[in-house]
Each structure stands twice: as structure tokens, then as C-alpha cells.
Coordinates of all heavy atoms in Angstrom, one line a residue:
M61 N -92.9 82.8 -165.1 CA -91.8 83.2 -165.9 C -91.7 82.2 -167.2 O -91.5 82.7 -168.3 CB -90.5 83.1 -165.1 CG -89.2 83.5 -165.9 SD -88.5 82.1 -166.8 CE -87.9 81.0 -165.6
R62 N -91.8 81.0 -166.9 CA -91.6 80.0 -168.1 C -92.7 80.3 -169.1 O -92.4 80.2 -170.3 CB -91.7 78.5 -167.5 CG -91.6 77.5 -168.6 CD -90.4 77.6 -169.5 NE -89.2 77.7 -168.7 CZ -88.0 78.2 -169.2 NH1 -88.0 78.7 -170.4 NH2 -86.9 78.3 -168.4
G63 N -94.0 80.5 -168.7 CA -95.0 80.7 -169.7 C -94.7 82.0 -170.5 O -95.0 82.1 -171.7
A64 N -94.2 83.0 -169.8 CA -93.9 84.2 -170.5 C -92.8 84.1 -171.5 O -92.9 84.5 -172.7 CB -93.5 85.3 -169.5
I65 N -91.8 83.4 -171.2 CA -90.6 83.1 -172.1 C -91.1 82.3 -173.3 O -90.8 82.5 -174.4 CB -89.5 82.5 -171.3 CG1 -88.9 83.4 -170.3 CG2 -88.4 82.0 -172.3 CD1 -88.4 84.7 -170.8
D66 N -91.8 81.2 -173.0 CA -92.3 80.3 -174.0 C -93.2 81.0 -175.0 O -93.4 80.5 -176.1 CB -93.0 79.1 -173.4 CG -92.0 78.1 -172.7 OD1 -90.8 78.3 -172.8 OD2 -92.5 77.3 -171.9
H67 N -93.9 82.1 -174.6 CA -94.8 82.7 -175.5 C -94.3 84.1 -175.9 O -95.1 84.9 -176.4 CB -96.2 82.8 -174.8 CG -96.8 81.5 -174.6 ND1 -96.6 80.7 -173.5 CD2 -97.6 80.7 -175.5 CE1 -97.3 79.5 -173.6 NE2 -97.9 79.6 -174.8
N68 N -93.0 84.3 -175.8 CA -92.4 85.6 -176.2 C -93.1 86.9 -175.7 O -93.2 87.9 -176.3 CB -92.4 85.7 -177.8 CG -91.5 84.6 -178.3 OD1 -90.4 84.3 -177.9 ND2 -92.0 83.9 -179.4
L69 N -93.6 86.7 -174.4 CA -94.1 87.9 -173.8 C -93.1 88.9 -173.5 O -92.0 88.6 -172.9 CB -94.8 87.5 -172.5 CG -95.5 88.6 -171.7 CD1 -96.7 89.0 -172.4 CD2 -95.8 88.1 -170.3
Q70 N -93.3 90.1 -173.9 CA -92.3 91.2 -173.7 C -92.3 91.6 -172.3 O -93.3 91.7 -171.6 CB -92.6 92.4 -174.6 CG -92.6 92.1 -176.1 CD -91.2 91.7 -176.6 OE1 -90.2 92.4 -176.3 NE2 -91.1 90.5 -177.2
G71 N -91.1 92.0 -171.7 CA -91.1 92.6 -170.4 C -90.5 91.7 -169.4 O -90.1 92.2 -168.3
I72 N -90.3 90.4 -169.6 CA -89.7 89.5 -168.7 C -88.4 88.9 -169.4 O -88.5 88.3 -170.4 CB -90.6 88.3 -168.3 CG1 -91.7 88.9 -167.5 CG2 -89.8 87.3 -167.5 CD1 -92.7 87.9 -166.9
E73 N -87.2 89.3 -168.9 CA -86.0 88.9 -169.5 C -85.5 87.5 -169.0 O -85.0 86.7 -169.8 CB -84.9 89.9 -169.3 CG -85.3 91.3 -169.9 CD -84.3 92.4 -169.6 OE1 -83.2 92.1 -169.0 OE2 -84.6 93.6 -169.9
A74 N -85.6 87.3 -167.7 CA -85.2 85.9 -167.1 C -83.9 85.5 -167.6 O -83.7 84.4 -168.0 CB -86.3 85.0 -167.5
E75 N -82.9 86.4 -167.4 CA -81.5 86.1 -167.8 C -80.9 84.8 -167.2 O -80.1 84.1 -167.9 CB -80.6 87.3 -167.5 CG -80.9 88.5 -168.4 CD -80.1 89.7 -167.9 OE1 -79.2 89.6 -167.0 OE2 -80.3 90.7 -168.6
C76 N -81.3 84.5 -166.0 CA -80.7 83.3 -165.4 C -81.6 82.0 -165.6 O -81.2 80.9 -165.2 CB -80.6 83.5 -163.9 SG -82.1 83.4 -163.0
G77 N -82.6 82.1 -166.3 CA -83.4 81.0 -166.7 C -84.2 80.4 -165.5 O -84.7 79.3 -165.6
G78 N -84.4 81.2 -164.5 CA -85.2 80.7 -163.4 C -84.4 80.2 -162.2 O -85.0 79.6 -161.3
C79 N -83.1 80.4 -162.1 CA -82.3 79.8 -161.0 C -82.1 80.8 -159.9 O -81.3 80.6 -159.0 CB -81.0 79.2 -161.5 SG -79.9 80.4 -162.1
L80 N -83.0 81.9 -159.9 CA -82.9 82.8 -158.8 C -81.6 83.5 -158.5 O -81.0 83.6 -157.5 CB -83.4 82.1 -157.5 CG -83.8 83.0 -156.3 CD1 -84.9 84.0 -156.7 CD2 -84.3 82.1 -155.1
S81 N -81.1 84.1 -159.6 CA -79.9 84.8 -159.5 C -79.9 86.2 -160.4 O -78.8 86.8 -160.4 CB -78.7 84.0 -159.9 OG -78.7 83.6 -161.3
C82 N -80.9 86.5 -161.0 CA -80.8 87.7 -161.9 C -81.8 88.8 -161.5 O -81.6 90.0 -161.8 CB -81.0 87.3 -163.4 SG -82.7 86.8 -163.8
A83 N -83.0 88.5 -161.1 CA -84.0 89.4 -160.8 C -84.6 90.2 -162.0 O -85.2 91.2 -161.9 CB -83.6 90.5 -159.7
T84 N -84.4 89.6 -163.2 CA -85.0 90.2 -164.4 C -86.3 89.5 -164.8 O -86.7 89.6 -166.0 CB -83.9 90.1 -165.6 OG1 -83.6 88.7 -165.9 CG2 -82.7 90.9 -165.3
C85 N -86.9 88.9 -163.9 CA -88.2 88.3 -164.1 C -89.2 89.0 -163.2 O -90.3 88.4 -162.8 CB -88.2 86.8 -163.9 SG -87.8 86.3 -162.2
H86 N -88.9 90.2 -162.7 CA -89.7 91.0 -161.7 C -91.1 91.3 -162.3 O -91.2 91.7 -163.5 CB -88.9 92.3 -161.4 CG -89.6 93.2 -160.5 ND1 -89.3 94.6 -160.5 CD2 -90.5 93.0 -159.5 CE1 -90.0 95.2 -159.6 NE2 -90.8 94.2 -159.0
V87 N -92.1 91.0 -161.5 CA -93.5 91.4 -161.9 C -94.2 92.0 -160.7 O -93.8 91.8 -159.5 CB -94.3 90.2 -162.4 CG1 -93.7 89.7 -163.7 CG2 -94.4 89.1 -161.4
Y88 N -95.2 92.7 -161.0 CA -96.2 93.2 -159.9 C -97.4 92.3 -160.1 O -98.2 92.4 -161.0 CB -96.5 94.7 -160.2 CG -95.4 95.6 -160.2 CD1 -95.1 96.4 -161.3 CD2 -94.5 95.7 -159.1 CE1 -94.0 97.3 -161.3 CE2 -93.4 96.6 -159.1 CZ -93.2 97.3 -160.2 OH -92.1 98.2 -160.2
V89 N -97.6 91.5 -159.0 CA -98.8 90.6 -159.0 C -100.0 91.4 -158.7 O -100.1 92.2 -157.7 CB -98.6 89.5 -158.0 CG1 -99.8 88.6 -157.9 CG2 -97.3 88.7 -158.4
D90 N -101.1 91.2 -159.4 CA -102.3 91.8 -159.2 C -102.8 91.5 -157.8 O -102.7 90.3 -157.4 CB -103.4 91.4 -160.2 CG -104.7 92.2 -160.1 OD1 -105.4 91.9 -159.2 OD2 -104.9 93.0 -161.0
E91 N -103.2 92.5 -157.1 CA -103.6 92.3 -155.6 C -104.6 91.2 -155.4 O -104.6 90.6 -154.3 CB -104.0 93.6 -155.0 CG -102.8 94.6 -155.0 CD -103.1 95.9 -154.3 OE1 -104.2 96.0 -153.8 OE2 -102.2 96.8 -154.3
R92 N -105.4 90.9 -156.4 CA -106.4 89.9 -156.1 C -105.8 88.5 -156.0 O -106.4 87.6 -155.4 CB -107.4 89.8 -157.4 CG -108.2 91.0 -157.5 CD -109.0 91.0 -158.9 NE -108.1 91.0 -159.9 CZ -108.2 90.5 -161.1 NH1 -109.4 89.8 -161.4 NH2 -107.3 90.6 -162.1
F93 N -104.6 88.4 -156.5 CA -104.0 87.0 -156.5 C -103.0 86.9 -155.4 O -102.5 85.8 -155.1 CB -103.3 86.8 -157.9 CG -104.3 86.5 -158.9 CD1 -104.8 87.6 -159.7 CD2 -104.8 85.2 -159.2 CE1 -105.7 87.4 -160.7 CE2 -105.7 85.0 -160.2 CZ -106.2 86.1 -161.0
L94 N -102.6 88.0 -154.8 CA -101.5 87.9 -153.7 C -101.9 86.9 -152.6 O -101.0 86.1 -152.2 CB -101.3 89.3 -153.1 CG -100.5 90.3 -154.0 CD1 -100.4 91.6 -153.3 CD2 -99.1 89.7 -154.3
P95 N -103.1 86.8 -152.1 CA -103.4 85.8 -151.1 C -103.2 84.3 -151.5 O -103.2 83.5 -150.7 CB -104.8 86.1 -150.7 CG -105.1 87.5 -151.2 CD -104.2 87.6 -152.4
L96 N -103.2 84.1 -152.8 CA -103.1 82.7 -153.4 C -101.7 82.3 -153.5 O -101.5 81.1 -153.8 CB -103.8 82.7 -154.7 CG -105.3 83.1 -154.7 CD1 -105.8 83.0 -156.1 CD2 -106.1 82.2 -153.8
L97 N -100.7 83.2 -153.4 CA -99.3 82.8 -153.7 C -98.7 82.3 -152.4 O -99.0 82.8 -151.3 CB -98.5 84.0 -154.2 CG -99.0 84.7 -155.4 CD1 -98.0 85.8 -155.8 CD2 -99.1 83.7 -156.6
E98 N -97.7 81.4 -152.5 CA -96.9 81.1 -151.4 C -96.0 82.3 -151.1 O -95.6 83.1 -152.0 CB -96.0 79.9 -151.8 CG -96.7 78.6 -152.1 CD -97.4 78.0 -150.8 OE1 -96.7 78.1 -149.7 OE2 -98.5 77.5 -150.9
P99 N -95.7 82.4 -149.8 CA -94.8 83.6 -149.5 C -93.5 83.5 -150.1 O -93.0 82.4 -150.4 CB -94.7 83.4 -147.9 CG -95.7 82.5 -147.5 CD -96.1 81.6 -148.7
A100 N -92.9 84.6 -150.4 CA -91.6 84.6 -151.0 C -90.5 84.1 -150.1 O -90.6 84.3 -148.8 CB -91.2 86.1 -151.4
S101 N -89.6 83.4 -150.6 CA -88.5 82.8 -149.7 C -87.6 83.9 -149.4 O -87.6 85.0 -149.9 CB -87.8 81.7 -150.5 OG -87.0 82.4 -151.6
A102 N -86.7 83.6 -148.4 CA -85.7 84.6 -148.0 C -84.8 84.9 -149.2 O -84.4 86.1 -149.3 CB -84.9 84.1 -146.8
D103 N -84.4 84.0 -150.0 CA -83.5 84.3 -151.2 C -84.3 85.2 -152.1 O -83.7 86.0 -152.7 CB -83.2 82.9 -151.8 CG -82.2 82.1 -151.0 OD1 -81.5 82.8 -150.1 OD2 -82.0 81.0 -151.2
E104 N -85.6 84.9 -152.4 CA -86.3 85.8 -153.3 C -86.4 87.2 -152.7 O -86.1 88.2 -153.5 CB -87.7 85.2 -153.6 CG -88.5 86.1 -154.5 CD -89.9 85.6 -154.8 OE1 -90.3 84.5 -154.3 OE2 -90.6 86.3 -155.5
L105 N -86.7 87.3 -151.5 CA -86.8 88.6 -150.9 C -85.4 89.4 -150.9 O -85.4 90.6 -151.2 CB -87.2 88.5 -149.4 CG -88.7 88.1 -149.2 CD1 -88.9 87.8 -147.7 CD2 -89.6 89.1 -149.7
E106 N -84.4 88.7 -150.8 CA -83.1 89.3 -150.9 C -82.8 89.8 -152.3 O -82.4 90.9 -152.5 CB -82.0 88.4 -150.4 CG -80.6 89.0 -150.5 CD -79.5 88.0 -150.0 OE1 -79.8 87.1 -149.3 OE2 -78.3 88.2 -150.4
L107 N -83.2 89.0 -153.3 CA -83.0 89.4 -154.7 C -83.9 90.5 -155.1 O -83.5 91.4 -155.9 CB -83.1 88.2 -155.6 CG -82.4 88.1 -157.0 CD1 -80.9 88.4 -156.8 CD2 -82.6 86.8 -157.6
L108 N -85.0 90.5 -154.5 CA -85.9 91.6 -154.8 C -85.4 93.0 -154.4 O -85.9 94.0 -154.9 CB -87.3 91.4 -154.1 CG -88.3 90.4 -154.8 CD1 -89.4 90.0 -154.0 CD2 -88.8 91.1 -156.2
T109 N -84.4 93.0 -153.5 CA -83.8 94.3 -153.1 C -83.0 94.9 -154.3 O -82.7 96.1 -154.2 CB -82.9 94.2 -151.8 OG1 -81.8 93.3 -152.2 CG2 -83.7 93.6 -150.7
G110 N -82.7 94.1 -155.2 CA -81.9 94.6 -156.4 C -82.6 94.7 -157.6 O -81.9 94.9 -158.7
V111 N -83.9 94.7 -157.7 CA -84.6 94.9 -159.0 C -84.4 96.3 -159.5 O -84.1 97.2 -158.8 CB -86.1 94.6 -158.8 CG1 -86.4 93.2 -158.5 CG2 -86.8 95.5 -157.8
A112 N -84.4 96.4 -160.9 CA -84.1 97.6 -161.6 C -85.2 98.7 -161.4 O -84.9 99.8 -161.4 CB -83.8 97.3 -163.0
A113 N -86.4 98.2 -161.4 CA -87.6 99.2 -161.3 C -88.0 99.3 -159.9 O -87.5 98.6 -159.0 CB -88.7 98.7 -162.2
E114 N -88.9 100.1 -159.6 CA -89.4 100.4 -158.3 C -89.9 99.0 -157.7 O -90.7 98.3 -158.3 CB -90.6 101.3 -158.3 CG -91.3 101.5 -157.0 CD -92.5 102.3 -157.1 OE1 -93.0 102.7 -158.2 OE2 -93.1 102.7 -156.0
R115 N -89.5 98.7 -156.5 CA -90.0 97.6 -155.8 C -91.3 98.0 -155.0 O -91.3 99.0 -154.3 CB -89.0 97.0 -154.7 CG -89.5 95.8 -154.0 CD -88.5 95.3 -153.0 NE -89.0 94.1 -152.3 CZ -88.4 93.6 -151.3 NH1 -87.2 94.0 -150.9 NH2 -88.9 92.5 -150.7
R116 N -92.3 97.2 -155.1 CA -93.6 97.5 -154.6 C -94.0 96.3 -153.7 O -93.4 95.2 -153.8 CB -94.7 97.7 -155.6 CG -94.4 98.9 -156.5 CD -95.4 99.1 -157.6 NE -95.0 100.1 -158.6 CZ -95.6 100.2 -159.7 NH1 -96.6 99.4 -160.1 NH2 -95.2 101.2 -160.5
P117 N -95.0 96.5 -152.8 CA -95.5 95.4 -151.9 C -95.9 94.2 -152.7 O -95.8 93.0 -152.2 CB -96.6 96.0 -151.2 CG -96.4 97.5 -151.1 CD -95.7 97.8 -152.5
Q118 N -96.4 94.4 -153.9 CA -96.8 93.2 -154.7 C -95.7 92.7 -155.7 O -96.0 91.9 -156.6 CB -98.1 93.6 -155.5 CG -98.0 94.7 -156.6 CD -98.2 96.0 -156.0 OE1 -97.8 96.4 -154.9 NE2 -98.8 96.9 -156.9
S119 N -94.5 93.1 -155.5 CA -93.4 92.7 -156.3 C -93.0 91.2 -156.0 O -93.0 90.8 -154.8 CB -92.1 93.5 -156.0 OG -92.2 94.8 -156.6
R120 N -92.8 90.5 -157.1 CA -92.4 89.1 -157.0 C -91.5 88.7 -158.2 O -91.6 89.5 -159.2 CB -93.6 88.1 -157.0 CG -94.5 88.2 -155.8 CD -93.8 87.8 -154.5 NE -93.3 86.4 -154.5 CZ -93.9 85.3 -154.0 NH1 -95.1 85.5 -153.5 NH2 -93.4 84.1 -154.1
L121 N -90.7 87.8 -158.0 CA -89.9 87.2 -159.1 C -90.7 86.2 -159.7 O -91.1 85.1 -159.1 CB -88.5 86.7 -158.6 CG -87.7 87.9 -158.0 CD1 -86.3 87.3 -157.6 CD2 -87.5 89.0 -159.0
S122 N -91.1 86.3 -161.0 CA -92.0 85.4 -161.6 C -91.5 84.0 -161.7 O -92.3 83.0 -161.7 CB -92.5 85.9 -163.0 OG -91.4 86.1 -163.8
C123 N -90.2 83.8 -161.7 CA -89.7 82.4 -161.7 C -89.9 81.7 -160.4 O -89.8 80.4 -160.4 CB -88.2 82.4 -162.1 SG -87.1 83.0 -160.8
Q124 N -90.4 82.4 -159.4 CA -90.6 81.8 -158.1 C -92.1 81.6 -157.8 O -92.4 81.3 -156.7 CB -89.9 82.6 -157.0 CG -88.4 82.7 -157.2 CD -87.7 81.4 -157.2 OE1 -87.8 80.6 -156.3 NE2 -87.1 81.1 -158.4
I125 N -92.9 81.7 -158.8 CA -94.3 81.5 -158.7 C -94.7 80.2 -159.4 O -94.9 80.2 -160.6 CB -95.1 82.7 -159.3 CG1 -94.7 84.0 -158.6 CG2 -96.6 82.4 -159.1 CD1 -95.3 85.2 -159.2
P126 N -94.8 79.1 -158.6 CA -95.3 77.9 -159.3 C -96.8 78.0 -159.7 O -97.6 78.4 -158.8 CB -95.1 76.8 -158.2 CG -94.8 77.5 -156.9 CD -94.5 79.0 -157.2
M127 N -97.0 77.7 -160.9 CA -98.4 77.8 -161.4 C -99.2 76.6 -160.9 O -98.8 75.4 -161.0 CB -98.4 77.8 -162.9 CG -97.9 79.1 -163.4 SD -98.7 80.6 -162.8 CE -100.3 80.4 -163.4
T128 N -100.4 76.9 -160.4 CA -101.3 75.9 -159.9 C -102.7 76.2 -160.5 O -102.9 77.3 -161.1 CB -101.4 75.9 -158.4 OG1 -102.0 77.1 -158.0 CG2 -100.1 75.7 -157.7
A129 N -103.6 75.3 -160.4 CA -105.0 75.5 -160.9 C -105.6 76.7 -160.2 O -106.4 77.5 -160.8 CB -105.8 74.3 -160.7
A130 N -105.3 77.0 -159.0 CA -105.8 78.0 -158.2 C -105.4 79.4 -158.8 O -106.0 80.5 -158.6 CB -105.4 78.0 -156.7
L131 N -104.3 79.4 -159.6 CA -103.7 80.7 -160.1 C -104.2 80.8 -161.6 O -103.8 81.7 -162.2 CB -102.2 80.7 -160.1 CG -101.6 80.7 -158.7 CD1 -100.1 80.7 -158.8 CD2 -102.1 82.0 -157.9
D132 N -105.2 80.1 -162.0 CA -105.7 80.2 -163.3 C -106.2 81.7 -163.5 O -107.0 82.2 -162.7 CB -106.9 79.3 -163.6 CG -107.4 79.3 -165.0 OD1 -106.7 79.6 -165.9 OD2 -108.6 79.0 -165.2
G133 N -105.7 82.4 -164.5 CA -106.1 83.8 -164.8 C -105.2 84.8 -164.0 O -105.5 86.0 -164.0
L134 N -104.1 84.2 -163.5 CA -103.2 85.1 -162.8 C -102.8 86.3 -163.6 O -102.5 86.2 -164.8 CB -101.9 84.4 -162.5 CG -100.8 85.2 -161.9 CD1 -101.1 85.7 -160.5 CD2 -99.5 84.3 -161.8
T135 N -103.0 87.5 -163.1 CA -102.6 88.7 -163.7 C -101.4 89.4 -163.1 O -101.4 89.5 -161.8 CB -103.8 89.7 -163.6 OG1 -105.0 89.2 -164.2 CG2 -103.5 91.1 -164.4
V136 N -100.4 89.7 -163.9 CA -99.3 90.4 -163.4 C -99.0 91.6 -164.3 O -99.5 91.7 -165.4 CB -98.0 89.5 -163.4 CG1 -98.2 88.3 -162.5 CG2 -97.6 89.1 -164.8
H137 N -98.4 92.6 -163.7 CA -98.1 93.8 -164.5 C -96.6 94.0 -164.5 O -95.8 93.6 -163.6 CB -98.7 95.1 -163.7 CG -100.2 94.9 -163.5 ND1 -101.1 95.2 -164.5 CD2 -100.9 94.4 -162.5 CE1 -102.3 94.9 -164.1 NE2 -102.2 94.5 -162.9
M138 N -96.1 94.5 -165.7 CA -94.7 94.6 -165.9 C -94.1 95.8 -165.3 O -94.7 96.9 -165.4 CB -94.4 94.6 -167.4 CG -94.8 93.3 -168.2 SD -93.9 91.9 -167.6 CE -95.3 90.9 -167.1
P139 N -92.9 95.7 -164.7 CA -92.2 96.9 -164.3 C -91.7 97.7 -165.5 O -91.7 97.1 -166.6 CB -91.1 96.4 -163.4 CG -90.8 95.0 -163.9 CD -92.2 94.5 -164.4
E140 N -91.3 98.9 -165.3 CA -90.9 99.7 -166.5 C -89.6 99.2 -167.1 O -89.4 99.5 -168.3 CB -90.8 101.2 -166.1 CG -89.7 101.5 -165.0 CD -89.7 102.9 -164.5 OE1 -90.8 103.5 -164.4 OE2 -88.6 103.4 -164.4
R141 N -88.8 98.5 -166.3 CA -87.6 98.0 -166.8 C -87.2 96.7 -166.0 O -87.5 96.7 -164.8 CB -86.5 99.0 -167.0 CG -86.0 99.5 -165.6 CD -84.9 100.6 -165.8 NE -84.4 101.0 -164.6 CZ -85.0 102.0 -163.8 NH1 -86.1 102.5 -164.1 NH2 -84.4 102.3 -162.7
Q142 N -86.3 95.9 -166.6 CA -85.8 94.8 -165.9 C -84.3 94.9 -165.6 O -83.8 94.2 -164.8 CB -86.1 93.5 -166.7 CG -87.5 93.1 -166.8 CD -88.2 92.6 -165.5 OE1 -87.5 92.4 -164.5 NE2 -89.4 92.2 -165.6
S143 N -83.7 95.8 -166.3 CA -82.2 95.9 -166.1 C -81.8 97.3 -166.4 O -82.6 98.1 -166.9 CB -81.4 94.9 -167.0 OG -81.7 95.1 -168.3
Ligands
FES62 S1 -85.3 84.4 -163.9 FE1 -83.6 85.0 -162.9 S2 -84.3 85.3 -160.9 FE2 -86.1 84.8 -162.0

């Protein structure tokens, strides 16, 4: 989420700035990268129930994805809307 905001990437609103209260940083993580991510927390899973676009198995809140070297090249797809 921070990388998207800092580089004016369209499609991620991140209204709460990453404090896990808005769900406007919803992304669909490319399936190749799903095994590399830490599991979503209970709070993230709860917030994912309220995303504006279709929730899919690969849905995550991008503010909850800490970037690591293992995620170099991470590909995410934008939902059709964030709010
Ligand atoms: S930026 Fe608000 S929940 Fe991710």
C-alpha cells in the first residue's frame, strides 16, 4: 500500500493510511505470490468482509502486506472499485 501511494498508483485509496480501518486498499494478490504471504490476521479477515468490490480467495488488504525481499516482483490486481 505504501509503495502504491508513494508512486501515485491508481486504484488504491488507503483512506485510513494503513491503520486497518477502511478496506480501501483491497487488492487481488497474484496466485504465484500467495504462498509467500503471511496469513491474514483476524482483523484483516473481518475488514475484508466489507470490501466494495467482489471478495475473492486471493483478496488482501495491501496495507497488511509487509514487503520483504522474497516478495520482489509482487504482482497484485486492482478490484473494480474501492468504495
Ligand atoms: S489502508 Fe485502510 S485498511 Fe488498508
Side-chain angles (χ1 to χ4, degrees):
M61 178 279 287
R62 178 58 48 206
I65 296 300
D66 289 349
H67 294 90
N68 296 317
L69 181 70
Q70 299 296 307
I72 295 181
E73 297 175 9
E75 291 175 1
C76 77
C79 67
L80 196 53
S81 64
C82 72
T84 61
C85 62
H86 179 205
V87 295
Y88 302 121
V89 175
D90 188 286
E91 293 183 4
R92 294 171 296 151
F93 289 91
L94 285 175
L96 303 176
L97 301 184
E98 293 293 323
S101 68
D103 289 341
E104 181 182 353
L105 291 172
E106 182 177 337
L107 205 52
L108 279 166
T109 65
V111 292
E114 176 189 6
R115 181 181 178 184
R116 300 177 185 166
Q118 65 272 35
S119 287
R120 292 294 302 263
L121 297 178
S122 57
C123 71
Q124 300 302 300
I125 301 173
M127 291 305 296
T128 65
L131 293 178
D132 185 29
L134 175 66
T135 301
V136 299
H137 305 277
M138 297 299 119
E140 64 185 39
R141 63 183 186 280
Q142 294 287 0
S143 54

